Amino acid sequence: MDAIERRLRDRREEHLAQLKSLLSIPSISALSEHKQDIRRAAEFLKEALTDAGFQNAQLMETAGHPVVYGEWLGKPGKPTVLVYGHYDVQPVDPLHLWQTPPFEPDIRDNQIYARGASDDKGPTFLHIKALEAILQEQGELPVNVKFCIEGEEEVGSAHLEAFLNEHQAQFQADLVLISDTTMLSPVKPSICYGLRGLAACQIDLKTANSDLHSGLYGGAVPNAVHALVELLDTLHAPDGTVTVEGFYDDVIELSPEERAEYAKLPHDDESYRKSLGLPALHGEPGYTTLERLWARPTLELNGIYGGFQGEGTKTVIPNEAHAKVTCRLVPGQDPNKILDLIETHIKKHTPVGATVTFIRQDGGYPYLAPYDHPAIQLAADAYTHAYGVKAVFTRMGGSIPVVETFSQLFHKPVVLMGFSLGDENFHAPNEHFSLTNFDKGLRTLCYYYLNLPTALNA
């Protein structure tokens, strides 16, 4: 282990230069004008895998952007790890808020600034370099490794599930390893063992066949904006509880042990409130802030629009209004069932004089791992080796739908070892990645891979 870590230190500047080259590619999956940039990023990673010593590195075509694949299968009978990451990034708007151009990586204050630095090019790159160091120092890996690096995560991984089903035998593994989650703090590494799922929909409400003059028609006809506000108000109680019938029926409650562990974590509600500029926190009664964030479902209004939006006044009664809604779901909940319940609720509470169209959108299942699994417990030991403190086990409020896809497809544990921090501005201007976590992340991963055979045979 000492020789491997010494090799990593000696080649640090070379590795950072390679990471900068990857971060310089504007692989924005949401914008069609960057289609060729997406392919350039994929080609870069294919070459990086080849240079690191992986065989059969290739671009595998999907109905959308390609998946980068590579393998090292020199240990028959030993476990196989499937490493997942993504090379696509979010758009960079608003551009004027970036201190340096988003695709001209800049290192300052021990951080590397660029779009994709933290989400997810930087953490994915760590796996390639950690495994490369082991191969160069020892001539072999302790386990078999396959890579699946996709180019559509930031647009919902629409084609990945069908792709994995088609190539299931090629991607079969004993566990899946992902570094696309966050650590609790710079000095408190954390292993995420649970993710919330997602259910999204749009509500389109219509009244008359056109907008109407508020003087000529006001008081005699329904107003679409009024009707939508009335309808949306039926979705929650004043205390924040979701009032859709059956919404909580399938929720798997936190165990007393989990609640006790969460209570030990270094979270302070008052500091959290102040950091957000809020006069007060708000949420489902009977649960702490961390429990609400990680283990309770939500129904959020993401956008409402209708009527006149311009400067000044327009005396109009709008005939259309729209709302965008997403739910974060927890283990036990099915996104399709939740959308069924919301649609039933909407139909039941549609105001008089209005008609509603309910449009189903993205969905993803929640995930909950058995955190006593040896592969997950080893992750805690690996963080201890690199950070000097043992990692804590947490859930995460966000959604990574592909995690549940892997779980359902392979019926193997998914280990979430993140090295990003929650304040690194992923999806926002000035995204950055800590070079301390770059260094410690490499040490963590090397320890993990080297000790995995022993842990799984325990």
Side-chain angles (χ1 to χ4, degrees), residues 26 95 100 137 142 146 161 175 258 283 293 325 341-342 427-428:
L95 188 59
T100 53
E137 191 63 34
K146 301 175 181 179
E161 184 171 357
L175 67 94
E258 286 177 295
L293 289 172
V325 179
L341 294 173
I342 296 172
H427 295 204

Side-chain angles (χ1 to χ4, degrees), residues 106-285:
D106 183 55
I107 294 177
R108 55 185 188 271
D109 302 324
N110 204 38
Q111 314 278 340
I112 184 166
Y113 284 80
R115 172 60 86 228
S118 186
D119 181 22
D120 175 46
K121 289 179 178 178
T124 298
F125 184 77
L126 293 180
H127 286 270
I128 299 175
K129 294 295 112 176
L131 291 164
E132 178 185 71
I134 296 173
L135 270 171
Q136 290 177 343
E137 191 63 34
Q138 298 190 346
E140 62 179 7
L141 296 178
V143 292
N144 302 295
V145 178
K146 301 175 181 179
F147 274 88
C148 174
I149 310 175
E150 70 154 319
E152 297 185 306
E153 195 275 344
E154 298 293 6
V155 288
S157 302
H159 303 106
L160 187 64
E161 184 171 357
F163 171 83
L164 289 172
N165 273 296
E166 182 181 352
H167 301 280
Q168 185 170 349
Q170 184 170 346
F171 286 91
Q172 192 67 44
D174 296 294
L175 67 94
V176 181
L177 186 55
I178 299 177
S179 294
D180 196 18
T181 52
T182 57
M183 293 182 14
L184 200 60
S185 80
V187 295
K188 183 62 71 173
S190 51
I191 300 160
C192 179
Y193 69 94
L195 296 162
R196 290 197 288 193
L198 182 70
C201 60
Q202 179 166 318
I203 300 168
D204 295 336
L205 185 146
K206 188 175 176 63
T207 51
N209 56 12
S210 70
D211 288 352
L212 299 171
H213 189 290
S214 67
L216 297 178
Y217 293 93
V221 299
N223 181 307
V225 172
H226 293 183
L228 182 64
V229 171
E230 178 185 337
L231 175 60
L232 298 178
D233 189 51
T234 68
L235 295 170
H236 293 90
D239 63 9
T241 304
V242 178
T243 53
V244 174
E245 187 175 351
F247 185 80
Y248 296 102
D249 285 359
D250 299 324
V251 170
I252 298 174
E253 293 286 343
L254 281 164
S255 68
E257 293 78 15
E258 286 177 295
R259 300 191 80 169
E261 288 301 313
Y262 291 178
K264 299 176 185 176
L265 296 176
H267 172 84
D268 177 67
D269 267 4
E270 185 62 12
S271 297
Y272 183 70
R273 178 192 69 78
K274 288 180 178 178
S275 72
L276 298 172
L278 289 169
L281 297 177
H282 181 66
E284 185 185 0

